[in-house]
Amino acid sequence: MQNSYTTLPEKFYTKQRPSPVRSPKLVIFNQSLADFLDVPFDLEVFAGNAIPQGAEPIAQAYAGHQFGHFTMLGDGRALLLGEQKGFDIQLKGSGRTKYSRDGDGRAALGPMLREYIISEAMHALGVPTTRSLAVVTTGETVRRERTLPGAVLTRVASSHIRVGTFEFAAQFGTTEDVRALADYTIARHFSGIADRENKYLLLLQEVVKRQALLIAKWQLVGFIHGVMNTDNTAISGETIDYGPCAFMDIYDPATVFSSIDTHGRYAYENQPKAAAWNLARFAETLLPFIDVEVAQKAIAEFWVLYHEYWLAGMRAKLGMLEEQPGDEARIHEFLASMQQSQADYTNTFRALTLSENRPQAKALMQRHNPAIIPRNHLVEEALHAAEHDDYRVMSELLNALRNPYAYTVQQEKYAQLPVPTACRYRTFCGT
Ligand code: AMP
Ligand code: MG
């Protein structure tokens, strides 16, 4: 394990060892991801009680716009152990850091398992995302509204560089700090442009493109992130920070799950807008190197790319094999009728796939319409059992989510909708 992040100026991070925990116990381990990364199983490492060889744990400094307001942040309860095969290995819930503010630096079991389940499901759905390697309980409790079992999640990401990392550099550092971060980012994620003259513009364009693809994929599977703040926007284009996120059941563009999103800033239909806004914050940090108008054009390109990816995805979902001039209007009509009849988003496309009789269209639809998503009630059920030491429900769910486009018999029971209740589903930040 190495840590290339420490080649950046010192203001970008603080060296910090994890705080040991009393009695770690394994809850779940991602063997196939561990094999891919060549990371050995080590409970003490996943608990923060031991440091792997070559690791140099750091808390990263970053800032961010939270619901539109700029603030200094940083890893308040996470530590980057180092990189393995180019991927960040990070502990979440590993104790206080310089950036913890009033937080305890810890995490509760439920939210960490939630991140594990949903991030792994997103990966299987083909949506770029951070991954989850392990969850261990700490043998300690954390105090939230209730007292809860404590846990540590080991998270894997292409990197943890965020729009907020650039904002931190621009606000609290010098132009040379921003340049150092941009060069590091290019070397790590976009090495092909490293020797190009206009590499900072190309960086912006690449990040715009990845965000456009990411958000299109979210919209197409009905995923709502919930806290699209700039500190939760990864430069790599991966979904990051699974807090109050959830998948939509009934199709309604205004859907909001997060209890803290009182104005619906990050509602389903607002996600593309939020991403474009976040990209503008990113572009601003690069203005020492890019002409303003050129940067504005690069941001505007988000909408072109997003629309292209979204339209192509919707056409595939509906089995439109050949492009027709009226496709887009028909898609919007279809969505409007789904909304009006309060149809379930995933199951409607699943039913269309199952009833399709043109083999080529059916195959295309099957590849784009998941038969299973991590529905809120299923995730809650799995978490509830896990909190009572029964991990079977979760492991069965994880198995079914591993290949969401398989349309297996085992997946059928997961297509059942939640029993309607009077209260709307609400999610809370993973603190
Ligand atoms: P999030 O909403 O999870 O993206 O977190 C926003 C900020 O709060 C990040 O800087 C986190 O590191 C920090 N944070 C969240 N929970 C805690 C906690 N329990 N202790 C310390 N910092 C935290
Ligand atoms: Mg965050």
Side-chain angles (χ1 to χ4, degrees), residues 62 73-77 100-101 103-106 144 232 241 431:
Y62 52 86
L73 294 158
D75 288 334
R77 57 164 172 172
S100 296
R101 295 177 292 177
D104 59 4
R106 292 299 188 189
R144 297 294 182 258
N232 293 336
D241 272 5
T431 51

Side-chain angles (χ1 to χ4, degrees), residues 62-92:
Y62 52 86
H65 276 85
Q66 298 192 306
F67 292 91
H69 303 285
F70 183 79
T71 178
M72 174 61 199
L73 294 158
D75 288 334
R77 57 164 172 172
L79 290 173
L80 176 61
L81 292 181
E83 293 136 43
Q84 181 83 356
K85 288 198 171 177
F87 287 89
D88 276 8
I89 311 288
Q90 191 204 57
L91 299 182
K92 192 167 171 181

Side-chain angles (χ1 to χ4, degrees), residues 204-423:
L204 174 60
Q205 288 170 335
E206 284 298 324
V207 173
V208 165
K209 192 167 159 189
R210 290 194 187 187
Q211 280 296 311
L213 183 61
L214 179 68
I215 307 303
K217 288 190 178 241
W218 286 2
Q219 301 303 90
L220 291 165
V221 296
F223 174 78
I224 300 168
H225 182 283
V227 244
M228 288 179 69
N229 295 330
T230 54
D231 51 301
N232 293 336
T233 303
I235 295 294
S236 67
E238 289 174 347
T239 311
I240 192 170
D241 272 5
Y242 290 86
C245 64
F247 280 76
M248 180 164 65
D249 292 311
I250 289 170
Y251 178 67
D252 177 2
T255 306
V256 177
F257 291 115
S258 169
S259 61
I260 56 169
D261 192 0
T262 40
H263 298 289
R265 180 181 170 97
Y266 299 136
Y268 175 78
E269 64 190 342
N270 290 340
Q271 295 193 125
K273 249 182 285 175
W277 193 88
N278 292 345
L279 287 166
R281 305 290 77 73
F282 176 52
E284 279 167 5
T285 72
L286 297 175
L287 287 181
F289 321 117
I290 309 174
D291 179 75
V292 180
E293 275 169 34
V294 175
Q296 279 167 343
K297 257 195 207 142
I299 302 297
E301 188 64 15
F302 169 85
W303 289 106
V304 178
L305 292 168
Y306 167 74
H307 179 252
E308 203 176 283
Y309 294 137
W310 178 84
L311 186 58
M314 271 297 168
R315 295 179 71 258
K317 284 177 85 68
L318 287 164
M320 295 172 161
L321 292 173
E322 270 143 49
E323 273 183 49
Q324 307 284 352
D327 283 354
E328 192 168 357
R330 277 208 299 282
I331 290 167
H332 283 297
E333 251 168 57
F334 179 76
L335 291 172
S337 72
M338 264 173 81
Q339 185 181 355
Q340 203 168 25
S341 56
Q342 302 197 334
D344 179 82
Y345 183 76
T346 302
N347 280 1
T348 302
F349 286 105
R350 177 177 172 272
L352 282 180
T353 307
L354 289 169
S355 62
E356 177 61 57
N357 50 29
R358 298 167 300 159
Q360 210 189 339
K362 193 182 177 93
L364 178 70
M365 292 165 83
Q366 200 178 324
R367 286 199 304 277
H368 288 86
N369 295 322
I372 174 175
I373 49 156
R375 285 185 192 276
N376 308 319
H377 70 284
L378 299 174
V379 176
E380 293 304 321
E381 197 181 37
L383 297 185
H384 183 79
E387 276 168 11
H388 293 87
D389 269 344
D390 172 5
Y391 301 121
R392 280 170 310 179
V393 187
M394 179 175 67
S395 96
E396 219 184 286
L397 175 63
L398 281 168
N399 264 335
L401 287 165
R402 202 157 284 151
N403 193 351
Y405 304 103
Y407 283 72
T408 60
V409 178
Q410 289 86 339
Q411 288 172 335
E412 276 171 20
K413 73 169 181 185
Y414 294 106
Q416 273 170 29
L417 298 181
V419 182
T421 59
C423 359

Side-chain angles (χ1 to χ4, degrees), residues 184-219:
Y184 174 81
T185 305
I186 290 170
R188 191 146 176 200
H189 292 296
F190 310 100
S191 53
I193 63 172
D195 297 323
R196 299 279 292 275
E197 205 184 310
N198 57 345
K199 61 181 172 179
Y200 301 117
L201 172 60
L202 292 171
L203 168 65
L204 174 60
Q205 288 170 335
E206 284 298 324
V207 173
V208 165
K209 192 167 159 189
R210 290 194 187 187
Q211 280 296 311
L213 183 61
L214 179 68
I215 307 303
K217 288 190 178 241
W218 286 2
Q219 301 303 90

